[in-house]
Amino acid sequence: MFARNMFKPDGFRNTYADGQAVGFQFDCKVQYYRGITLSIVRDIKVEVDGVEYPRENIRFSIKGETFTLDEMRTVIDHELRWEFGKWATVIVLKEGGLEQGKHHIKSTQIIAPSYMPHILEHAGDYDFEIA
Amino acid sequence: MFARNMFKPDGFRNTYADGQAVGFQFDCKVQYYRGITLSIVRDIKVEVDGVEYPRENIRFSIKGETFTLDEMRTVIDHELRWEFGKWATVIVLKEGGLEQGKHHIKSTQIIAPSYMPHILEHAGDYDFEIA
Amino acid sequence: MNYNIKRSVSLYSYQEEYYLGKLDLEGCIREAAKAGATGIELLAEQMMPNFPYVTPEFKEQWFGWMDKYGTEPTCYDAFLENKIYDNRTLTLREQVRMMERDIKIAGELGFKTLRTLCSTPMDVIKGSLDCAAKEDVKICIEVHSPFSLNSGWADGYMDMILGTGTKHFGFMPDFGIFCKKIPDVLTAKALRQGASPECVKIVNDAFANRVEKGFTKIKYDTNLGRAHGEYVKANGMPELMEAIEKAGGNAADMNYARASFNYTWCDPQDIIDNIQYIYHTHAKCYNTNAEYEETSIPLKEVIAAYKKAGYTGYLSTEYEGNSLLNDAFEVDSIEQVRRHQEAMRRAIED
Amino acid sequence: MNYNIKRSVSLYSYQEEYYLGKLDLEGCIREAAKAGATGIELLAEQMMPNFPYVTPEFKEQWFGWMDKYGTEPTCYDAFLENKIYDNRTLTLREQVRMMERDIKIAGELGFKTLRTLCSTPMDVIKGSLDCAAKEDVKICIEVHSPFSLNSGWADGYMDMILGTGTKHFGFMPDFGIFCKKIPDVLTAKALRQGASPECVKIVNDAFANRVEKGFTKIKYDTNLGRAHGEYVKANGMPELMEAIEKAGGNAADMNYARASFNYTWCDPQDIIDNIQYIYHTHAKCYNTNAEYEETSIPLKEVIAAYKKAGYTGYLSTEYEGNSLLNDAFEVDSIEQVRRHQEAMRRAIED
Ligand SMILES: [Mn+2]
Ligand SMILES: [Mn+2]
């Protein structure tokens, strides 16, 4: 859809909890032409420097709420729509976070609008740096 | 809860589709002290004459809608509440239905009100006859 | 001497007759009024058609019945179904929206208080206070056995009341915290199910002992399971279970022993100490005999504390004995409520 | 000669700029008006804040913008998310409620038509007709390529219209059914992605052949996948794929061959035959050149049929070329819409 512009350039960073890096995160926009109800997100895949992270390590954070991908299956709250053109944060749990320096990400959004005969897969690539 | 009165005496019958007996059915009331949202029904078990039927064979029918137990997990429609003291129909898929004559049923409702530390299991027994 | 303590009936009391189709909602209200109550408490999820929607027709009926039977709405019993999906707990805002939904129904039907369960997260209560103020409905956390006033658990809420200065949140004790004996109908049921008189005696003696020396109170802990585990341990459940085992107790004995920890005896002084924050009361009852005595709860002693404290709210009969009888007997909730209302009347007017 | 055919812009056309934050909703309306349109078509799920709630603030803004830019609402594009849970399709009443939600939003914002997708079950449409009548919103099923008018598929809906006598359901063609050529921007993208000129020629020739001899139309079938499968087979997809394979085609060639079946050429006479039931139109466009020619859709020929039929509704520009460019280029939807509006103006006023 909009692969060249799906990542927020300054959104890449390690994620801290109690002073410890517990993972890394980035901001992205939904790869579809309208806003969606979170429940139709089937998967968000993240691969950094060729390493794919397991589904259980992915968290999706929007408007102050954070969900696992499994929890998202029932999130139909209108206040938590992933609006078209707006950023949401994907957090990837990884002890210690990413190393300082340059990295390459590939992330795939798998979304199932009800009226589509096939599930939609849209991936995007980006080079980023962890400061 | 109300085990002695959970079954509708004249609700037992074979279930037909296109003239074929595809299973049997009975009417029962929710074993709790209030009406519930269908999504909190975790399981409905049915054992007839000592034979327990698999979960995949159970259908729950209320106000004209019929669900598998798996589908019920997301049914939060207020119009489809299982109201306190009202009948719902449980259908058990079984080719040919039950034989004519006397039978004994044991059915267990497994329900998870959000505020209960444990999931609730309530069973009831009944002798019935298929005409 | 006259006290301004009013009597209500929670229609929960008539659940057996309602379930069986012997009483409809109007019938329940009529029976409550006949028993002498002027207040009606409702579980909308139990008896209100089209829940959670208040149809104009229902609203008209409801206030029509209040007029017809000379009653007024007292307490709306809410259930916060915050695990309505099996894969997650609802978010805070989803929970607040659900709570506000109930507060609005309560307001629309004229209820002055709303019962919330002890499982309601503090943030959900806080997030609903504005709505409660707007609807002028007081959210009351039910002080249900084994919880108690003047406890670490209650302090958690008291801190919130004092911290926010809210006038729309408080407590509603449930008389299950004033059990001096295990309900005799529970004992009878245990015996019907095969409990032995020996083990029953061990359980009853242990209960009497807890009443005698005082219960260890439950802590405030957002993990209710943990709080409860510590509570039963501190009150001697492990020792009791061991004793039952030693005595060769069967499953029914074990069940009876465990069930005995659902009942608590608190000092009625707790009511006096906290009266400023008590806006409603569940006058729980299990069995009221023909002499108008609740067989496990010393009504006169408890109500004396309410009188001394100058309580002006409702005591609302909440009959819960049906499930202790209905495995074997017909239940007569109408008579049980009538007796309990009369027993309360005597205790108040005495 | 003058015709009463009006021009609208679907704000869908500006999705690239909206996504990138270059245009906000007001900016889109402003650009549409600047391009000469007097009608605005909206995907509320794309651009309306707080969807599905119309806040009073938004409503005021919305009508304020309509006044300010001299435009009026034309069509509301609905999406029936009837598989919002992954474990089941919504029940009929849940779907009807969702449809009615959209009809009410459309009505509140002044839209006269509502686009529904061909995946909408017939019973959901029927169940929503009363609401549509009440809101005076005409539900229009989008006749989107590869569906077509004068087809077994369209007959299914015509039967319903005639059977119910409804004045609140009809058709809205999408100009993707009037493609005489595969969009040149699609071809260019295929080549960028590695398609070979040889295979591209095979695909283009096959398309020209389909246009020449006429497309086999799609059937009415509640199983859309099956209907679509039969459709592509009848129109020679297996033979084309085989030809590409024989020519040593790569993945990009295969994709281009498959994608070519998304475009259809229907006889514009279809518009004349069905004009009584056509209440709105998506003037789909992929690339309008500097000479004001849509490079795949013969606008003059198609619009001539609308004129002959005496159409008095809107032709609403729906620019969809952005995704055929944005892998490599900046997209200028504003210019594309401007050109397309001018091209339509000329065709209408010619
Ligand atoms: Mn209570
Ligand atoms: Mn279209």
Side-chain angles (χ1 to χ4, degrees):
Chain A
M1 295 292 292
F2 305 95
R4 291 207 301 163
N5 295 288
M6 74 178 269
F7 298 103
K8 188 177 187 179
D10 59 354
F12 294 88
R13 66 191 58 158
N14 281 329
T15 309
Y16 289 85
D18 302 323
Q20 293 292 106
V22 295
F24 61 93
Q25 66 183 70
F26 59 92
D27 292 352
C28 59
K29 292 181 181 178
V30 63
Q31 296 306 290
Y32 198 43
Y33 63 76
R34 62 171 176 93
I36 60 166
T37 303
L38 296 191
S39 63
I40 72 163
V41 175
R42 290 284 173 274
D43 212 350
I44 291 179
K45 296 188 176 183
V46 180
E47 189 185 305
V48 174
D49 305 330
V51 176
E52 183 164 345
Y53 290 85
R55 177 179 163 91
E56 305 78 62
N57 289 27
I58 309 292
R59 298 291 178 274
F60 183 89
S61 190
I62 192 163
K63 299 172 192 178
E65 302 286 350
T66 299
F67 301 100
T68 65
L69 292 170
D70 186 59
E71 287 171 342
M72 267 165 81
R73 294 187 298 108
T74 58
V75 180
I76 60 163
D77 186 357
H78 62 90
E79 287 187 24
L80 296 177
R81 283 174 70 87
W82 192 359
E83 292 173 271
F84 180 62
K86 300 288 171 64
W87 301 113
T89 301
V90 173
I91 300 164
V92 182
L93 301 182
K94 175 191 185 334
E95 220 176 289
L98 289 174
E99 277 178 38
Q100 223 177 308
K102 293 187 173 180
H103 298 278
H104 183 79
I105 189 171
K106 181 184 175 190
S107 181
T108 308
Q109 295 176 10
I110 301 178
I111 291 166
S114 303
Y115 39 85
M116 300 299 287
H118 307 291
I119 284 179
L120 304 179
E121 284 205 37
H122 287 290
D125 281 81
Y126 203 76
D127 289 311
F128 67 97
E129 194 166 346
I130 292 286
Chain B
M1 295 292 292
F2 305 94
R4 290 206 303 162
N5 295 288
M6 73 180 269
F7 298 103
K8 187 177 187 179
D10 59 354
F12 294 88
R13 67 191 59 157
N14 281 330
T15 309
Y16 289 85
D18 302 323
Q20 292 293 105
V22 294
F24 62 92
Q25 66 182 69
F26 58 91
D27 292 353
C28 59
K29 292 181 180 179
V30 63
Q31 295 306 290
Y32 198 43
Y33 63 76
R34 63 171 174 93
I36 60 166
T37 303
L38 295 191
S39 63
I40 73 165
V41 175
R42 289 284 173 275
D43 213 350
I44 291 179
K45 296 188 175 180
V46 180
E47 191 185 304
V48 173
D49 305 330
V51 176
E52 184 163 345
Y53 290 86
R55 177 178 163 91
E56 306 79 62
N57 290 26
I58 308 292
R59 298 290 179 276
F60 184 88
S61 189
I62 193 163
K63 298 173 193 177
E65 301 286 352
T66 299
F67 301 101
T68 66
L69 292 169
D70 186 58
E71 287 170 342
M72 266 165 81
R73 294 187 298 109
T74 58
V75 180
I76 60 163
D77 184 357
H78 63 90
E79 287 187 24
L80 295 178
R81 285 175 68 88
W82 191 358
E83 292 173 89
F84 180 63
K86 300 286 170 67
W87 302 112
T89 302
V90 174
I91 300 164
V92 182
L93 301 182
K94 175 191 187 329
E95 221 176 287
L98 289 174
E99 276 178 41
Q100 221 178 309
K102 294 187 170 181
H103 299 278
H104 184 79
I105 189 171
K106 181 184 175 189
S107 180
T108 309
Q109 294 175 8
I110 300 178
I111 290 166
S114 302
Y115 40 84
M116 300 299 288
H118 307 291
I119 284 180
L120 304 179
E121 284 206 34
H122 287 290
D125 282 80
Y126 203 76
D127 290 310
F128 66 97
E129 195 166 347
I130 293 286
Chain C
M1 177 171 175
N2 262 316
Y3 294 89
N4 192 18
I5 299 177
K6 294 165 284 186
R7 284 179 287 120
S8 162
V9 172
S10 171
L11 304 189
Y12 175 92
S13 305
Y14 300 116
Q15 62 179 275
E16 186 86 13
E17 283 80 356
Y18 189 92
Y19 176 91
L20 295 174
K22 293 179 183 175
L23 283 180
D24 58 13
L25 177 50
E26 181 178 3
C28 293
I29 296 168
R30 183 187 64 233
E31 291 304 329
K34 273 168 63 179
T38 59
I40 299 294
E41 174 166 356
L42 179 73
L43 282 67
E45 298 203 35
Q46 187 178 53
M47 298 188 184
M48 186 176 86
N50 301 109
F51 176 87
Y53 291 92
V54 179
T55 62
E57 299 72 44
F58 179 76
K59 194 172 168 179
E60 199 186 322
Q61 268 188 329
W62 173 255
F63 286 111
W65 290 330
M66 292 300 114
D67 277 353
K68 181 173 174 187
Y69 296 108
T71 49
E72 65 171 353
T74 59
C75 182
Y76 173 102
D77 290 57
F79 299 86
L80 188 79
E81 201 79 89
N82 59 7
K83 291 177 186 156
I84 200 163
Y85 295 114
D86 65 356
N87 65 330
R88 66 184 180 96
T89 298
L90 293 185
T91 63
L92 177 58
R93 67 187 98 192
E94 284 173 321
Q95 292 186 61
V96 169
R97 216 180 291 140
M98 190 179 275
M99 185 76 148
E100 291 183 341
R101 173 199 74 185
D102 281 307
I103 293 169
K104 285 173 192 163
I105 302 174
E108 191 165 359
L109 295 180
F111 291 98
K112 300 298 177 212
T113 58
L114 176 143
R115 183 287 307 270
T116 201
L117 294 161
C118 62
S119 55
T120 309
M122 188 70 86
D123 284 343
V124 175
I125 296 171
K126 280 190 196 164
S128 310
L129 289 176
D130 283 351
C131 178
K134 199 174 154 205
E135 297 287 335
D136 201 17
V137 169
K138 290 183 198 295
I139 301 169
C140 299
I141 195 143
E142 183 167 2
V143 186
H144 191 285
S145 176
F147 295 92
S148 52
L149 291 160
N150 291 342
S151 63
W153 174 81
D155 289 347
Y157 294 99
M158 200 59 92
D159 289 350
M160 189 273 273
I161 294 172
L162 299 176
T164 61
T166 183
K167 299 284 172 221
H168 291 89
F169 176 77
F171 296 99
M172 50 176 290
D174 175 292
F175 278 6
I177 65 173
F178 295 121
C179 285
K180 263 202 167 158
K181 290 182 201 155
I182 295 171
D184 55 1
V185 280
L186 179 73
T187 311
K189 185 178 178 182
L191 290 167
R192 267 200 308 282
Q193 293 184 333
S196 65
E198 299 70 35
C199 288
V200 164
K201 186 172 184 313
I202 295 173
V203 173
N204 290 358
D205 288 349
F207 189 85
N209 185 47
R210 293 204 288 287
V211 170
E212 177 71 25
K213 78 174 180 54
F215 284 68
T216 300
K217 294 194 167 185
I218 199 161
K219 282 188 198 161
Y220 182 80
D221 190 333
T222 52
N223 184 332
L224 288 179
R226 183 169 57 199
H228 188 256
E230 285 180 18
Y231 164 84
V232 295
K233 197 174 163 193
N235 284 287
M237 190 192 258
E239 295 80 357
L240 180 61
M241 298 314 287
E242 207 181 313
I244 296 295
E245 211 166 325
K246 259 189 204 158
N250 58 27
D253 293 317
M254 296 289 193
N255 282 341
Y256 183 63
R258 265 189 296 270
S260 73
F261 286 88
N262 296 339
Y263 307 90
T264 325
W265 167 252
C266 294
D267 189 333
Q269 178 66 31
D270 286 0
I271 298 299
I272 299 169
D273 295 341
N274 294 280
I275 195 67
Q276 197 180 342
Y277 307 106
I278 295 174
Y279 300 122
H280 186 70
T281 298
H282 273 178
K284 168 74 55 65
C285 53
Y286 306 99
N287 186 24
T288 309
N289 65 24
E291 284 73 46
Y292 300 105
E293 288 165 339
E294 213 299 329
T295 54
S296 59
I297 297 161
L299 267 185
K300 283 188 183 164
E301 185 178 349
V302 175
I303 290 177
Y306 276 87
K307 289 158 77 173
K308 192 167 171 198
Y311 181 67
T312 59
Y314 274 98
L315 299 179
S316 192
T317 296
E318 190 187 51
Y319 173 57
E320 202 173 63
N322 72 309
S323 63
L324 304 175
L325 296 175
N326 71 6
D327 59 311
F329 303 108
E330 291 290 295
V331 172
D332 190 348
S333 311
I334 295 171
E335 174 63 8
Q336 280 292 312
V337 171
R338 190 194 68 75
R339 288 181 188 177
H340 191 256
Q341 283 282 313
E342 175 61 15
M344 291 213 294
R345 188 190 65 74
R346 293 182 185 186
I348 294 167
E349 297 178 6
D350 194 20
Chain D
M1 179 170 176
N2 263 315
Y3 293 90
N4 192 20
I5 298 177
K6 294 166 282 186
R7 282 178 289 119
S8 162
V9 172
S10 171
L11 304 188
Y12 175 91
S13 305
Y14 300 115
Q15 62 178 276
E16 185 86 12
E17 284 80 357
Y18 188 93
Y19 176 91
L20 295 174
K22 292 179 183 173
L23 283 181
D24 58 12
L25 176 51
E26 182 178 3
C28 293
I29 296 168
R30 184 187 64 235
E31 292 303 331
K34 273 169 62 180
T38 59
I40 300 293
E41 175 166 356
L42 179 72
L43 281 66
E45 299 202 36
Q46 187 179 53
M47 299 191 183
M48 186 176 87
N50 302 109
F51 177 86
Y53 290 93
V54 179
T55 63
E57 299 73 39
F58 179 76
K59 194 173 168 179
E60 199 185 323
Q61 269 188 328
W62 173 255
F63 286 110
W65 291 329
M66 293 300 114
D67 277 354
K68 181 173 174 187
Y69 297 107
T71 49
E72 66 170 351
T74 58
C75 182
Y76 173 102
D77 290 57
F79 298 86
L80 189 79
E81 201 79 271
N82 60 7
K83 291 177 187 158
I84 199 163
Y85 295 114
D86 66 356
N87 65 331
R88 65 184 180 97
T89 299
L90 293 186
T91 63
L92 176 59
R93 66 187 99 194
E94 285 173 321
Q95 293 188 62
V96 169
R97 216 181 289 140
M98 188 178 275
M99 184 76 149
E100 291 183 341
R101 173 199 75 186
D102 282 305
I103 293 168
K104 285 173 192 162
I105 301 173
E108 190 164 2
L109 295 180
F111 291 97
K112 299 299 178 209
T113 58
L114 176 143
R115 184 286 308 269
T116 201
L117 294 161
C118 62
S119 55
T120 308
M122 187 69 86
D123 284 344
V124 175
I125 296 171
K126 281 190 197 165
S128 309
L129 289 176
D130 283 351
C131 178
K134 199 174 156 204
E135 298 287 334
D136 201 16
V137 169
K138 290 183 197 296
I139 302 170
C140 299
I141 194 141
E142 183 168 1
V143 186
H144 191 287
S145 176
F147 294 92
S148 52
L149 292 159
N150 290 344
S151 65
W153 174 80
D155 289 347
Y157 295 99
M158 201 58 91
D159 288 351
M160 188 273 272
I161 294 172
L162 300 176
T164 62
T166 182
K167 298 286 171 218
H168 291 89
F169 176 78
F171 296 98
M172 49 175 292
D174 175 293
F175 279 5
I177 64 173
F178 295 120
C179 285
K180 264 203 168 156
K181 290 181 202 155
I182 294 171
D184 56 1
V185 281
L186 179 74
T187 310
K189 185 177 177 183
L191 290 167
R192 268 200 309 282
Q193 293 183 336
S196 64
E198 298 70 35
C199 286
V200 163
K201 187 172 183 311
I202 295 173
V203 173
N204 290 357
D205 288 350
F207 189 84
N209 185 48
R210 293 205 286 286
V211 170
E212 176 72 25
K213 76 173 180 59
F215 285 68
T216 300
K217 295 194 167 184
I218 199 162
K219 283 188 197 160
Y220 183 80
D221 189 334
T222 53
N223 184 333
L224 288 179
R226 183 169 54 198
H228 188 256
E230 285 180 17
Y231 164 82
V232 295
K233 198 174 162 196
N235 284 286
M237 189 191 259
E239 293 81 358
L240 180 61
M241 298 313 288
E242 206 180 315
I244 297 295
E245 211 166 323
K246 261 189 202 156
N250 58 27
D253 293 317
M254 295 289 192
N255 282 340
Y256 183 63
R258 264 190 296 268
S260 73
F261 287 89
N262 296 338
Y263 307 90
T264 324
W265 168 252
C266 293
D267 188 333
Q269 177 67 31
D270 285 1
I271 298 299
I272 299 170
D273 295 342
N274 293 280
I275 195 67
Q276 195 180 345
Y277 307 106
I278 295 174
Y279 301 121
H280 185 70
T281 297
H282 273 179
K284 168 74 56 64
C285 53
Y286 306 100
N287 186 25
T288 308
N289 65 23
E291 284 72 46
Y292 301 105
E293 287 165 338
E294 215 297 331
T295 54
S296 59
I297 296 161
L299 267 185
K300 282 189 186 165
E301 184 178 350
V302 175
I303 290 177
Y306 276 87
K307 288 157 78 172
K308 191 167 170 198
Y311 181 65
T312 58
Y314 274 97
L315 299 180
S316 193
T317 295
E318 190 187 51
Y319 173 56
E320 203 173 62
N322 71 309
S323 63
L324 303 175
L325 297 174
N326 71 4
D327 58 312
F329 303 107
E330 290 290 294
V331 171
D332 190 349
S333 310
I334 294 171
E335 175 62 7
Q336 280 292 313
V337 170
R338 190 193 69 75
R339 289 181 187 177
H340 192 256
Q341 284 282 312
E342 175 60 14
M344 289 211 296
R345 187 190 66 73
R346 292 181 186 187
I348 293 168
E349 297 178 5
D350 194 22

